Amino acid sequence: MSTPGAALLTRRPLAGDGGRGARGLAMQLLLAVVSSGYGVGAALGWGSEELAEIMGDFGLSAAGLLAAVSCFTYARAIDSRERPAWLLFAFSSLMGCCGNAVWGWYEVVLGEAVPKPSLADFAFLCFAPPAIVGLLVLAKRPVTRAGWVCLGLDSWLIGGSLLTLSWSLALAHAARTAQSGAPGSVPRAALSLAYPLLDIALVSMVLVLHFRRSETNRSAVNTAIAALALTVLSDALFTSPLLSAEYQSGQLLDAGWFAGSLLLAYAPWGARRLHPGPDPVAQARAERPHSRPITGSLPALTPYLAAAVCTLGILYNVVDGRKVDRVVVFTGCTVVLALVIRQGIMLLDNIALTQELAQKENHFRSLVQGSSDVIMIAAPTGTLRYVSPAAAGVYGREAEELVGTELATLIHPEDLGRVVHEVRRFLAAPPTEEPTTRIECRFRSGAGEWLNVESTVNRHQGGLILNSRDVTERVRLQAQLQHSAEHDPLTDLPNRALFTRRVRQALTGRRAGDHSTAVLFIDLDGFKAVNDTIGHQAGDELLIEAARRLQDSVRAGDTAARLGGDEFAALILGDGNRDRSAREYQVHEIADRLRTTLSQPYRIAGSEVRVAASIGVAFADPGITPSDLMRNADLAMYRAKAGGKNRVEMYAPQMQAEVVRKAELAGRLRTALHDGEFALLHQPVVSLASGEISAVVAQARWRSAQGILFTPAEFLRVAEYSEGGHPAVPDASRTAELGRWLLEEAVGQAAERHRAGHDVPVAVRMTAQRLLDRSMPLGSVEALLTRNGLPSGALVLELAVSDPRVPFDDLERRLAALRRLGVLIALDGFGSGYAAISALRRLPVDMLKLDRGLVEGVVESPRLHKITAGLLRIANDLGMQSVAEGVDLPEQVMALRAMGCSHGQGMAFSGPLDEYRLRRALVRGTFPVPGGSAQPALAGGSPGGSMVIHRGSHNETPVPPA
């Protein structure tokens, strides 16, 4: 056999066998030394007649007592069906101890001959019956009625044959002596017959138990049988006519009884019964190939041996010339009859077993041949001895072709070492603890391909039984599922989970000390516009093409991944360069090349599409974690988008500090909302013609613990930054909560003022994104107006449109619904930002609110003066009110009034007022107007200066009021 094949089934020794074997050997040596010492002393006569009598009587009594104590202690230590047997053995040994003690009392203490019969004879006669019953308890119990009959027949075959031989040799003489009628002859004859008859019964049970012994604790049982057999042999020699007349205590015959008692005392403790673990003898018998040794054939030969012994007893009488005794004839006939009955039972049993075996063989042959799994039997040499017919369908090779092949030559070389290790471990493990094992490896098919095979392995006569099945499709499916779990389904690039694991490997593997590794986060600018304009199918095609460009642009060892949506990432492994500036320059060039590649036009659905790429770069600084490295690259990417998009930004520590600062501000905002630290102020909107208060604008202020009101610049900047969707500040929900609080407070206080007689509209600023936010219920504004009882025209929503992604169709429908309820719409920040003209053209707007940037330079800058004048002319032509925000100087009031602006808001009239000061201003009603009252050049308001809206179509210019 080849070396791999031999190694496949090499078995390792069981751990702990050496220690237990050494202890058992020491006990056996001690037993041999003590028994041999007693035998030598008995052979030499112990040096004196008195010492010989002591050792022959009390020595045997001490050995019997030791056996009784040992068996009794062992019986108490175990908890099984064997306990009664060992208790009976203890009682039997105790009877022998008592008999020898009585014998010594007469011989040693009293100095008299032992009378016959005596108490010693009674004790000795009580030795055999408990031992016989104990042997019956230990015997394997038959499971059928025929088995019990065979057990009785076997016992009589052995006992009857021994009785025939013994009667012919000695027992007939004792019986004739009893019939002579001499004084005391009957008790003596009965006693002389009782000893051999009990010994015959005991020998019969020893032999029967040897052939029918239980598998449980076989070492202890075998040792006990040997001890009883040695005792019976000594009894037989004692009762023989040649030795019984000349026997004296302390002779060599006592050594047999002494050794038998010591062996019975050793029997339970010399076995492995008290040591957990498999029986090595039973294990070796189970593992070695089946054979038919001589000892295995003895049970079958027992009836014939019994008949032979009976024949010898009869022949002895015939040869001696004596008349055949009736006892011998009767016993021989019963033995022959038992033999005939037993053979008939065995014949019927064999016929039934043969039929059952044939049926089971056919059954299992059908199972094996019809199974879709391949069943193989490997010999201890590693050669396949049997292969089921299913091999042709599974492996593409005929079973006959595989038989005789070495198993190791069929396994893939890369899997052979792992399989050998598992088989060795399995064979070294106790069979009771691990009856089977499972092995998966690649197996050579008839076509030369490697199939994935899963095998269940069992032990079989020192070799292996392998139940194998083809799991190639399952392995392929698992690989596909693993690939799907780790790759993006659209672009087939690694997803976030696989990318994160590779970043972790780069930071913790052999590159852990290489700090030139970099991570790139990439976002496609303008991708949403592609989805909105030409459809999501085109967007998917663009992502696929972008992924292909990204994959082609990175190196072979680097990783390109799609994190989700239009966000991609790249892991650029370091080259060991310790020059940080040179490495940053190199990675920046790679990132810029990626940006250029991804920004090239895409040919999608027959049209040319352009997107840009914003890229953030972060390096693996010492001690950084994968999550921190990816977060740094993400921050750098958002800084690139905030800096104008289509650029590369390197991570700097201050980016994280800024995020932390904004997160702290957002946390303060959340706490302030929860603790009620916000206060509501109102700034009047004044008619530039008359100075009357036309409306009030609601503004939130943050009240500190010291009672100081902070302006909204800081926390509103945080709120707007959060609304932009930056992942580092996830507080858009808190911004929405602030907006809801502002709207509810403004409407509630306006309703109270109206009930007090101050019919002045209240203006609340709201972004278009917030108005269309799904988290804001569709009828929330309407329900708020109804609940507070605010009349029509008393609420003005200052709408800010600054995001190009706002759907104007949805916004137009929403504003139209609000205007039908009497809500006025003001376009906030007119003249700056995105979509000012588009919003004016498409949305139902009632008034325009000029941006603060136009108002600040309207006096100093002729260019701004002309732009502002043009915007005001558009508002007046459309019949809309115009409100200038940030009117802080008298010169601005006069300039704006001259250009046709109808209303102003700013420090030139009043700053934000609390509720008490606001009501005082409303009672007064007007503010002084710099330069006095004057009619505007282009009248857009009512003569009284109140904010009256004339609604009409944007497609025609209404006639201004006279």
Side-chain angles (χ1 to χ4, degrees):
M1 183 180 179
S2 62
T3 301
L8 188 64
L9 299 178
T10 301
R11 145 184 352 268
R12 296 180 178 177
L14 294 175
D17 286 351
R20 292 196 294 265
R23 291 192 296 271
L25 181 61
M27 294 181 66
Q28 294 172 7
L29 289 176
L30 178 61
L31 176 64
V33 169
V34 174
S35 300
S36 300
Y38 189 95
V40 171
L44 298 178
W46 295 104
S48 67
E49 185 177 352
E50 183 179 0
L51 181 59
E53 290 181 351
I54 293 175
M55 294 302 297
D57 295 332
F58 293 111
L60 293 180
S61 179
L65 182 60
L66 177 63
V69 172
S70 175
C71 293
F72 180 76
T73 306
Y74 178 67
R76 301 225 12 215
I78 63 175
D79 186 15
S80 66
R81 61 179 295 267
E82 301 176 21
R83 174 181 288 181
W86 290 101
L87 289 175
L88 291 170
F89 290 156
F91 180 76
S92 179
S93 300
L94 183 61
M95 290 297 98
C97 169
C98 293
N100 285 297
V102 172
W103 196 289
W105 174 262
Y106 281 106
E107 286 190 341
V108 177
V109 178
L110 300 180
E112 301 175 357
V114 181
K116 292 186 179 180
S118 66
L119 291 177
D121 294 319
F122 174 77
F124 288 143
L125 289 177
C126 290
F127 172 83
I132 293 173
V133 177
L135 291 174
L136 287 174
V137 172
L138 290 178
K140 182 187 294 183
R141 298 180 180 178
V143 296
T144 62
R145 184 176 302 175
W148 284 104
V149 173
C150 288
L151 177 62
L153 292 174
D154 289 342
S155 301
W156 175 243
L157 285 173
I158 297 173
S161 61
L162 293 178
L163 177 60
T164 302
L165 186 60
S166 301
W167 189 272
S168 300
L169 294 176
L171 298 182
H173 175 73
R176 285 193 295 271
T177 301
Q179 293 175 358
S180 63
S185 60
V186 175
R188 291 184 180 180
L191 186 62
S192 62
L193 289 175
Y195 278 117
L197 290 177
L198 288 175
D199 288 340
I200 289 173
L202 187 57
V203 169
S204 301
M205 293 312 304
V206 166
L207 293 176
V208 170
L209 178 61
H210 175 71
F211 298 139
R212 293 179 175 270
R213 60 187 181 273
S214 175
E215 296 294 332
T216 306
N217 200 9
R218 297 187 60 180
S219 299
V221 174
N222 289 337
T223 308
I225 291 174
L228 295 176
L230 185 58
T231 303
V232 170
L233 178 61
S234 300
D235 287 346
L237 293 175
F238 172 73
T239 56
S240 65
L242 296 177
L243 296 180
S244 59
E246 299 179 358
Y247 171 78
Q248 292 182 358
S249 297
Q251 291 182 349
L252 187 60
L253 183 60
D254 291 345
W257 286 315
F258 184 81
S261 297
L262 290 186
L263 195 60
L264 186 59
Y266 163 78
W269 310 107
R272 289 192 176 184
R273 181 74 173 101
L274 299 181
H275 301 282
D279 187 351
V281 178
Q283 182 179 358
R285 182 178 292 106
E287 292 176 351
R288 68 170 178 256
H290 283 307
S291 61
R292 296 189 60 84
I294 296 178
T295 56
S297 302
L298 284 179
L301 296 177
T302 301
Y304 305 102
L305 293 176
V309 171
C310 286
T311 303
L312 288 176
I314 297 173
L315 289 176
Y316 176 79
N317 284 273
V318 174
V319 172
D320 196 29
R322 293 181 295 176
K323 182 181 178 180
V324 178
D325 193 282
R326 288 176 295 177
V327 175
V328 174
V329 174
F330 177 77
T331 306
C333 291
T334 56
V335 169
V336 172
L337 180 61
L339 176 60
V340 173
I341 295 175
R342 189 184 187 285
Q343 289 301 104
I345 294 176
M346 292 299 297
L347 180 61
L348 295 177
D349 194 23
N350 288 337
I351 294 175
L353 287 177
T354 302
Q355 294 176 351
E356 183 180 359
L357 180 62
Q359 183 180 2
K360 289 184 177 179
E361 184 178 355
N362 293 331
H363 177 69
F364 284 107
R365 182 182 294 110
S366 300
L367 288 178
V368 171
Q369 294 181 353
S371 174
S372 60
D373 293 349
V374 181
I375 300 175
M376 299 182 294
I377 300 178
T381 58
T383 305
L384 293 177
R385 296 190 310 186
Y386 173 79
V387 180
S388 65
V394 176
Y395 299 146
R397 305 177 68 173
E398 296 297 331
E400 295 78 7
E401 179 186 350
L402 290 174
V403 173
T405 306
E406 294 181 359
L407 184 60
T409 61
L410 302 174
I411 300 175
H412 196 284
E414 296 179 0
D415 300 338
L416 183 59
R418 175 173 52 82
V419 173
V420 169
H421 174 76
E422 175 61 21
V423 170
R424 285 180 174 178
R425 185 203 62 78
F426 170 66
L427 292 178
T432 55
E433 296 181 3
E434 190 173 4
T436 63
T437 187
R438 190 178 299 273
I439 295 175
E440 187 169 333
C441 62
R442 284 169 288 181
F443 202 86
R444 187 189 299 275
S445 68
E449 301 177 350
W450 293 105
L451 304 176
N452 293 94
V453 175
E454 181 185 67
S455 302
T456 302
V457 184
N458 296 269
R459 299 173 181 85
H460 176 68
Q461 300 181 11
L464 299 174
I465 295 181
L466 297 96
N467 192 345
S468 306
R469 63 200 62 86
D470 184 9
V471 293
T472 304
E473 290 301 323
R474 189 193 72 185
V475 172
R476 290 176 181 172
L477 179 60
Q478 289 177 345
Q480 292 176 359
L481 293 176
Q482 183 70 18
H483 182 85
S484 300
E486 295 180 341
H487 290 76
D488 175 59
L490 179 64
T491 63
D492 203 39
L493 290 180
N495 59 13
R496 184 182 293 272
L498 180 57
F499 183 77
T500 303
R501 185 163 69 249
R502 291 188 179 177
V503 172
R504 183 179 297 107
Q505 293 172 355
L507 297 182
T508 58
R510 60 184 180 87
R511 299 177 177 271
D514 188 359
H515 306 308
S516 58
T517 297
V519 170
L520 281 62
F521 267 44
I522 306 163
D523 186 84
L524 300 182
D525 303 321
F527 173 74
K528 189 177 185 306
V530 175
N531 274 342
D532 294 340
T533 54
I534 60 177
H536 290 275
Q537 180 64 32
D540 291 344
E541 295 179 11
L542 189 149
L543 290 176
I544 295 173
E545 176 62 21
R548 186 191 62 78
R549 294 184 185 182
L550 179 61
Q551 184 67 49
D552 294 341
S553 300
V554 299
R555 300 173 303 179
D558 299 334
T559 300
R562 183 191 178 204
L563 305 183
D566 59 344
E567 290 190 359
F568 295 85
L571 172 64
I572 309 298
L573 297 177
D575 55 3
N577 190 355
R578 297 187 177 275
D579 188 351
R580 180 63 179 265
S581 60
R583 180 59 177 166
E584 287 184 357
Y585 178 77
Q586 180 182 4
V587 173
H588 191 281
E589 280 192 337
I590 295 175
D592 196 62
R593 186 172 66 252
L594 287 176
R595 182 192 61 79
T596 304
T597 302
L598 295 174
S599 300
Q600 294 295 323
Y602 295 82
R603 194 71 181 176
I604 304 297
S607 60
E608 189 176 273
V609 178
R610 289 182 178 271
V611 295
S614 296
I615 302 178
V617 182
F619 284 91
D621 294 329
I624 195 170
T625 62
S627 59
D628 290 343
L629 179 59
M630 296 174 64
R631 180 204 61 196
N632 294 345
D634 194 20
L635 291 176
M637 184 265 289
Y638 273 96
R639 176 57 63 90
K641 293 179 71 68
K645 302 181 180 180
N646 194 20
R647 54 180 297 182
V648 176
E649 189 75 31
M650 310 293 287
Y651 172 77
Q654 57 267 25
M655 296 181 185
Q656 178 62 21
E658 182 180 352
V659 171
V660 171
R661 183 183 66 84
K662 292 184 179 296
E664 291 176 352
L665 291 174
R668 290 171 57 194
L669 174 62
R670 182 170 57 251
T671 303
L673 284 171
H674 183 268
D675 297 341
E677 296 179 2
F678 279 92
L680 187 63
L681 302 182
H682 295 83
Q683 189 173 21
V685 177
V686 179
S687 171
L688 298 184
S690 61
E692 293 183 0
I693 300 176
S694 302
V696 292
V697 179
Q699 297 178 358
R701 290 292 186 271
W702 194 343
R703 188 188 304 274
S704 68
Q706 294 77 19
I708 303 175
L709 293 176
F710 291 96
T711 61
E714 183 73 3
F715 66 82
L716 285 181
R717 186 159 57 248
V718 175
E720 291 171 0
Y721 191 64
S722 175
E723 281 185 353
H726 196 292
V729 188
D731 277 331
S733 61
R734 298 300 172 183
T735 307
E737 185 177 350
L738 175 61
R740 286 193 295 270
W741 176 86
L742 179 62
L743 181 61
E744 291 176 359
E745 287 292 318
V747 171
Q749 293 186 16
E752 292 181 1
R753 288 193 296 271
H754 274 274
R755 286 191 288 270
H758 303 291
D759 299 329
V760 179
V762 62
V764 180
R765 186 179 185 274
M766 182 177 293
T767 63
Q769 295 89 333
R770 181 62 56 199
L771 189 61
L772 297 178
D773 190 358
R774 293 185 179 180
S775 63
M776 184 176 180
L778 186 61
S780 59
V781 178
E782 294 84 342
L784 184 63
L785 295 175
T786 304
R787 184 170 63 250
N788 290 275
L790 198 64
S792 176
L795 176 63
V796 180
L797 289 183
E798 296 182 349
L799 189 66
V801 183
S802 58
D803 192 340
R805 296 173 295 182
V806 172
F808 275 99
D809 294 337
D810 297 341
L811 184 59
E812 184 177 4
R813 287 192 294 269
R814 180 71 177 123
L815 294 179
L818 291 174
R819 291 183 79 240
R820 285 193 293 270
L821 294 177
V823 179
L824 306 180
I825 307 300
L827 187 60
D828 189 34
F830 188 71
S832 66
Y834 172 82
I837 300 300
S838 299
L840 185 62
R841 179 177 61 86
R842 299 189 56 184
L843 301 179
V845 179
D846 299 308
M847 63 187 69
L848 299 180
K849 195 167 186 180
L850 295 180
D851 186 74
R852 181 183 295 271
L854 297 177
V855 177
E856 288 178 350
V858 71
V859 178
E860 295 83 2
S861 173
R863 187 181 185 87
L864 281 179
H865 189 279
K866 292 181 179 179
I867 293 174
T868 304
L871 294 176
L872 289 172
R873 186 176 297 106
I874 293 174
N876 282 280
D877 289 344
L878 294 177
M880 298 180 183
Q881 297 282 352
S882 56
V883 181
E885 185 179 6
V887 182
D888 299 332
L889 301 175
E891 295 82 359
Q892 296 172 347
V893 174
M894 292 184 289
L896 290 169
R897 186 175 56 188
M899 285 186 285
C901 183
S902 59
H903 297 81
Q905 170 189 348
M907 297 303 295
F909 305 104
S910 172
L913 305 174
D914 58 18
E915 187 65 20
Y916 174 74
R917 292 181 176 84
L918 176 61
R919 293 207 178 192
R920 290 182 56 186
L922 292 177
V923 171
R924 188 172 61 249
T926 60
F927 287 96
V929 179
S933 299
Q935 292 295 329
L938 295 173
S942 62
S946 61
M947 192 174 287
V948 179
I949 305 303
H950 300 272
R951 296 178 179 166
S953 173
H954 291 180
N955 297 327
E956 58 181 87
T957 303
V959 179

